[in-house]
């Protein structure tokens, strides 16, 4: 059982654990907000202050410092989770659970002395404290909005697929060549097919619309020995090699 001086930290760990369970087991946005917002904006900072032994003179000062420390925990978590490829809700939930657990283990036994126990009348906040809280919330909200905007406008890198399939063993001597366009607009290509370095098919000004697939069968002679076929796709505008594929033509 946790000592009396660490009961608040044990409660923070239980809260963070409940957040992990809620994120893992439910898609309810309301439940995630109820559990996640206090963890991200207050609890994580509180446990950090406890772990490093920061003492505050009033409850107001403690709340302000806890909010600021929570932002620091969140920023650090962003770097760590991004490096690990875990920038997902469950990754964040585990990050806060890890932070609260580490704080409980590192916090000194008399850490509750750093938490003002008396509520000093109405909650009062100095101007600089209020300005710091507002600024921190604006920065965090702006960063979140920017991240959402970047995610919405991000377009994954698309490229044109180009493939060639060899003749089936014992089947007709035909190479199957295909092109699937992922360009933003219709594109022209020149296609050249060679067998052991000798051209066997040349197609000029092959126009493919975005999202369309072009497939062609090219006959090849089947010899007693294995042969190497190669197909090259060029951009005719500058005669630049765009894609190249190869396949082995089995012998008879």
């Amino acid at each position: 059982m946790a000592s009396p001086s660490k009961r608040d930290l044990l409660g923070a760990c239980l809260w963070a654990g409940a957040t992990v369970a809620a994120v893992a087991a439910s898609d309810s946005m309301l439940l995630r907000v109820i559990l996640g917002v206090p963890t991200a904006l207050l609890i994580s900072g509180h446990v950090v202050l406890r772990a490093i032994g920061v003492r505050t003179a009033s409850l107001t000062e403690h709340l302000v410092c806890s909010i600021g420390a929570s932002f620091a925990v969140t920023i650090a978590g962003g770097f760590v989770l991004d490096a690990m490829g875990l920038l997902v809700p469950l990754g964040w939930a585990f990050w806060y659970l890890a932070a609260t657990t580490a704080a409980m283990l590192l916090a000194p036994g008399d850490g509750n002395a750093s938490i003002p126990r008396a509520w000093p009348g109405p909650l009062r906040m100095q101007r600089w404290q209020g300005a710091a809280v507002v600024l921190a919330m604006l920065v965090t909200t702006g960063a979140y909005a920017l991240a959402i905007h970047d995610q919405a406008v991000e377009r994954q890198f698309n490229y044109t697929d180009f493939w060639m399939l060899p003749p089936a063993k014992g089947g007709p001597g035909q190479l199957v060549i295909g092109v699937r366009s992922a360009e933003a607009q219709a594109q022209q290509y020149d296609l050249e097919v060679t067998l052991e370095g000798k051209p066997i098919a040349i197609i000029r000004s092959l126009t493919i619309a975005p999202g369309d697939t072009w497939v062609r069968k090219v006959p090849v002679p089947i010899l007693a020995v294995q042969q190497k076929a190669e197909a090259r796709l060029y951009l005719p505008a500058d005669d630049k090699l765009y894609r190249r594929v190869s396949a082995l033509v089995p012998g008879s």
Side-chain angles (χ1 to χ4, degrees):
M1 182 175 179
S3 63
S5 63
K6 289 191 176 183
R7 284 177 179 170
D8 61 315
L9 295 181
L10 177 59
C13 288
L14 294 176
W15 188 282
T19 303
V20 171
V23 173
S26 173
D27 292 332
S28 172
M29 181 60 67
L30 178 61
L31 183 60
R32 292 185 177 189
V33 168
I34 291 174
L35 292 173
V37 169
T39 302
L41 297 183
L42 183 63
I43 295 175
S44 59
H46 166 71
V47 297
V48 168
L49 296 182
R50 287 289 315 276
I52 62 180
V54 173
R55 297 176 182 271
T56 53
S58 67
L59 183 60
T60 302
E61 183 178 351
H62 186 77
L63 290 176
V64 172
C65 292
S66 295
I67 292 173
S70 295
F71 288 134
V73 172
T74 300
I75 292 172
F79 286 109
V80 173
L81 296 176
D82 180 61
M84 300 174 64
L86 296 175
L87 278 174
V88 294
L90 189 58
W92 279 108
F94 273 111
W95 168 256
Y96 289 120
L97 177 59
T100 54
T101 303
M104 186 178 69
L105 297 176
L106 296 175
D110 60 346
N112 269 354
S114 65
I115 306 175
R117 297 180 181 278
W119 187 282
L123 185 62
R124 294 189 176 91
M125 185 177 296
Q126 297 182 16
R127 291 182 179 179
W128 70 269
Q129 293 173 329
V133 171
V134 172
L135 180 60
M137 294 179 66
L138 288 176
V139 171
T140 303
T141 304
Y144 179 76
L146 181 61
I148 293 298
H149 175 267
D150 289 345
Q151 183 179 16
V153 301
E154 180 183 5
R155 295 292 183 268
Q156 297 295 326
F157 175 73
N158 294 324
Y159 57 91
T160 295
D161 291 329
F162 184 41
W163 68 90
M164 179 168 60
L165 301 178
K169 186 71 173 178
Q174 291 181 330
L175 294 168
V176 179
I177 302 173
V179 182
R180 180 181 296 113
S181 175
E183 307 295 335
Q185 56 188 0
Q187 179 67 53
Q188 279 193 348
Y189 304 98
D190 288 341
L191 176 63
E192 180 182 284
V193 184
T194 62
L195 185 64
E196 294 295 335
K198 299 178 181 179
I200 59 173
I202 297 177
I203 301 175
R204 303 292 186 188
S205 301
L206 173 61
T207 303
I208 305 178
D212 285 356
T213 300
W214 176 90
V215 177
R216 177 70 57 86
K217 294 181 179 180
V218 177
V220 293
I222 301 298
L223 304 181
V225 296
Q226 184 174 262
Q227 304 173 89
K228 180 181 179 181
E230 189 172 71
R232 297 184 181 91
L233 196 64
Y234 293 90
L235 296 176
D238 52 7
D239 199 30
K240 179 180 179 181
L241 179 62
Y242 186 58
R243 293 283 185 272
R244 177 169 57 187
V245 294
S246 61
L248 294 177
V249 179
S252 57

